[in-house]
Amino acid sequence: MNAQNFINALPFAKALGMRLDSLGDGHAEISMPWDARFVGDPVTGVIHGGAVSALMDTCGGAAVLSYPGAQTTATIDLRIDYMRAAKPGARLVARAECYHVTRNVAFVRATAHDGGDAPLASATGAFTFTGQEPTS
Amino acid sequence: MTPPEPVQAVKQRRDSALASLVDAVPYAQFLGIYFERHGDELTALLPYDDKLIGNPALPAIHGGVIASFLEVAAIIELRWTTIWADLEAGRLTPEEMTQNLPRLPKTIDFTVDFLRSGLPRDGYARARVNRSGRRYASVHVEAWQDNRARLFAQATGHFLMPQTG
């Protein structure tokens, strides 16, 4: 499946205008544009935390699916820390890493960036993992 | 003795105050979220829409939609409970709220448990403010679809309260 087909297969990721920038070996990078419809605080123009969650959840799931042997996944839990507000108008980029996998569970960490040096949010999550049975 | 405020006036005041909070959040409109009110109790509603799907094979609502729905429900409930007393006492009017929007709490962290996949149906959520201080608040929120007792997601979040003056 090519990168854009991956996003197009997820109607909500497509609705948020997400773009898969890189994927492989348990790592994913997905970005989305700033859009007035995604704003949470109309006074400041800052993107709603929920939209940042959606980006990080999608990116975490993609990282799990790119882990060697992965077949399906679903989010079990996701915790997001919002360190600062996203810059109004800036494209948001999420990077996720599936750093450990057991027979049934994948552990993921992710960060979100808006062009500044420090990430604006970080996340940790547990995802279900179903993989191919070892062939030995 | 002043006669009690007519019931329609009470309802209209509360409903327009609530609407001014919710209508001001573009992302809540984008997702189609709205609120029903019984007295001071709020229920958030997420009507099903095809664009909310994350896994078309099941089909299931996107986890990001569920997280967003819970976070919107938590923030609106928190703001609603903190303006309620001023609204009832007449210290804050819906007209003032429309002209000068009350600042919304900022999310510090938000943890979502995905208990069941979100079916292609309407969703409902209710939030409970467990602690609301001058600076920090802790809010728990539960969401369900067909059965109130079978939650499909729950979340806890911490929020920084807007500072006045």
Side-chain angles (χ1 to χ4, degrees), chain A residues 23-63:
Chain A
L23 183 70
D25 205 19
H27 291 73
E29 183 176 311
I30 296 181
S31 61
M32 64 180 267
W34 184 91
D35 188 308
R37 295 171 300 161
F38 310 156
V39 165
D41 186 340
V43 179
T44 57
V46 170
I47 292 278
H48 196 281
V52 180
S53 297
L55 177 66
M56 297 193 55
D57 183 44
T58 308
C59 196

Side-chain angles (χ1 to χ4, degrees), chain A residues 9-10 12 42 50 76 78 80 82, chain B residues 24 53-54 56 62 68 108 110 112 114:
Chain A
L10 310 172
F12 189 64
I76 298 171
L78 189 71
I80 315 244
Y82 298 98
Chain B
I53 288 294
H62 195 290
S68 300
I108 300 168
F110 202 71
V112 187
F114 297 93

Side-chain angles (χ1 to χ4, degrees), chain B residues 22-155:
Chain B
V22 179
D23 293 350
V25 182
Y27 188 60
Q29 313 301 310
F30 173 72
L31 294 173
I33 297 170
Y34 67 100
F35 287 77
E36 282 181 356
R37 185 192 62 77
H38 296 115
D40 69 344
E41 183 195 67
L42 301 184
T43 306
L45 289 92
L46 176 72
Y48 175 72
D49 188 285
D50 286 343
K51 81 171 175 198
L52 305 180
I53 288 294
N55 183 336
L58 288 175
I61 293 179
H62 195 290
V65 171
I66 297 167
S68 300
F69 178 47
L70 295 176
E71 194 173 330
V72 168
I75 291 173
I76 297 295
E77 176 72 30
L78 181 56
R79 202 69 189 97
W80 177 248
T81 58
T82 53
I83 65 165
W84 175 262
D86 285 341
L87 193 64
E88 291 302 294
R91 290 188 294 269
L92 180 68
T93 65
E95 294 71 38
E96 283 167 358
M97 287 177 62
T98 322
Q99 284 156 18
N100 194 5
L101 278 176
R103 298 300 308 271
L104 292 169
K106 284 183 187 156
T107 312
I108 300 168
D109 60 58
F110 202 71
T111 306
V112 187
D113 288 342
F114 297 93
L115 304 171
R116 297 184 168 81
S117 67
L119 304 169
R121 319 243 169 91
D122 294 356
Y124 313 97
R126 266 188 216 142
R128 181 179 74 234
V129 178
N130 283 326
R131 203 258 170 176
S132 178
R134 212 162 49 81
R135 273 179 211 283
Y136 309 108
S138 177
V139 182
H140 184 76
V141 48
E142 298 181 340
W144 69 97
Q145 292 189 300
D146 296 320
N147 303 120
R148 176 70 180 88
R150 281 169 62 87
L151 302 181
F152 77 117
Q154 62 179 351

